[in-house]
Amino acid sequence: MFKGDKPEQVLQIEPSNELRFTGPFTSAVTSYINLKNPSDKKVCYKIKTTAPKQYCVRPNSGTLDPVSSVEIAVSLQPQQGEFPGTENYKHKFMVQTMFAPDGEYDADQLWKEITPEKLMDSKLKCVFSSGSEVPATEDCVKEAPVQEKKVTKSNKVGTQAENELARAAAEVKTLREEESTLRQENLALKEEVLRLRKSNREAREHSGDSSIGSGGANAQTLATMENNRVYLVLGIFAVLFGILLGKFLL
């Protein structure tokens, strides 16, 4: 993974080799990359892909403080028709990193000026699976028409089971989409919290004691946003618990 004299990747990346996407792909499918900075220095990161029009990456760049981590949401955009196998979709992602300089700096300018030999990078290949775990038992029923009259009651039970299985699969798909949406909203909330904290810190550095009033307002906003995030997480658990309880009762 490392070539020439390039430095070894400082971040711990999970997954380390493959980014898996499970269909159906008619709607957005999201996978996640976790970045952890185990060092005592700030690290700048940037996420790149060979197919930028196919994916939405959030956040696609940023700075990790020492001994901190971040979750990157990678959403594959909806595909038309049947989604081809990996032989036609050899997509890859690259995580580029570098140590942040001391003091203030312009991140965009820093990425423009950095030389390739000072960059650390890790590559992940995309793996796609259909996700069609529900067996198509309808064909098996059609293969034995001679026994149909003798096992009419059994066929009815089998049909009901198939319908229940299909409904369960649809509910699981809906929950996955709702979870993906909530996790992306949670990431957006985290970004807003970090932005407000940074704004509050800069205001204190430039205005001294005069920033106390605005700092209090920002603190209240942060507290409200943290509470909203807790409510989102509790909502997800409540929905999952309700569905599991309903399944056991039925």
Side-chain angles (χ1 to χ4, degrees):
M1 183 167 59
F2 309 106
K3 299 180 180 180
D5 298 328
K6 298 190 69 172
E8 185 177 353
Q9 177 63 262
V10 65
L11 296 185
Q12 296 175 357
I13 303 174
E14 180 64 32
S16 58
N17 297 312
E18 296 180 348
L19 192 58
R20 185 170 295 275
F21 296 89
T22 302
F25 300 101
T26 52
S27 58
V29 179
T30 303
S31 187
Y32 298 90
I33 304 174
N34 290 289
L35 306 180
K36 182 178 180 180
N37 178 14
S39 72
D40 58 354
K41 299 180 180 179
K42 285 186 177 182
V43 176
C44 298
Y45 67 88
K46 179 178 287 189
I47 312 297
K48 293 185 176 181
T49 177
T50 56
K53 294 183 179 179
Q54 297 279 0
Y55 298 90
C56 176
V57 182
R58 189 170 187 178
N60 61 1
S61 63
T63 302
L64 271 176
D65 291 328
V67 196
S68 65
S69 60
V70 65
E71 185 179 61
I72 311 296
V74 181
S75 297
L76 174 65
Q77 300 306 297
Q79 306 297 310
Q80 298 295 328
E82 288 291 329
F83 190 67
T86 53
E87 67 275 4
N88 295 325
Y89 273 74
K90 296 181 180 179
H91 298 166
K92 293 181 180 180
F93 278 83
M94 176 184 287
V95 181
Q96 286 188 328
T97 59
M98 62 178 167
F99 288 110
D102 296 330
E104 297 183 359
Y105 60 89
D106 185 331
D108 293 335
Q109 191 64 27
L110 194 63
W111 283 107
K112 292 178 182 179
E113 296 176 352
I114 189 70
T115 55
E117 60 271 12
K118 292 183 179 180
L119 283 174
M120 299 168 280
D121 57 62
S122 299
K123 296 179 181 179
L124 293 84
K125 67 178 182 179
C126 296
V127 178
F128 308 96
S129 58
S130 63
S132 55
E133 292 83 7
V134 179
T137 55
E138 184 178 343
D139 292 338
C140 299
V141 176
K142 293 180 179 178
E143 290 177 359
V146 177
Q147 302 177 5
E148 185 176 357
K149 293 182 180 179
K150 296 181 180 180
V151 292
T152 303
K153 185 176 181 180
S154 176
N155 285 346
K156 289 182 179 179
V157 174
T159 302
Q160 291 177 353
E162 292 169 13
N163 292 336
E164 289 293 333
L165 192 59
R167 281 196 293 268
E171 290 177 3
V172 170
K173 178 183 176 182
T174 301
L175 282 175
R176 283 174 53 193
E177 293 175 352
E178 291 177 354
E179 180 191 10
S180 175
T181 301
L182 288 175
R183 295 188 71 171
Q184 292 190 49
E185 291 177 353
N186 189 24
L187 286 174
L189 185 61
K190 288 181 180 179
E191 291 180 15
E192 183 64 17
V193 169
L194 292 175
R195 186 188 68 78
L196 288 174
R197 286 178 178 171
K198 181 178 179 182
S199 175
N200 189 23
R201 184 170 58 251
E202 291 177 351
R204 288 178 180 174
E205 292 175 354
H206 289 87
S207 302
D209 295 338
S210 63
S211 64
I212 294 177
S214 60
N218 283 337
Q220 184 178 1
T221 302
L222 291 175
T224 301
M225 298 179 75
E226 291 291 346
N227 289 334
N228 289 339
R229 184 175 63 179
V230 172
Y231 293 148
L232 285 175
V233 174
L234 290 177
I236 294 174
F237 280 108
V239 172
L240 293 176
F241 179 77
I243 289 176
L244 291 176
L245 182 60
K247 294 298 180 184
F248 280 115
L249 291 177
L250 293 175

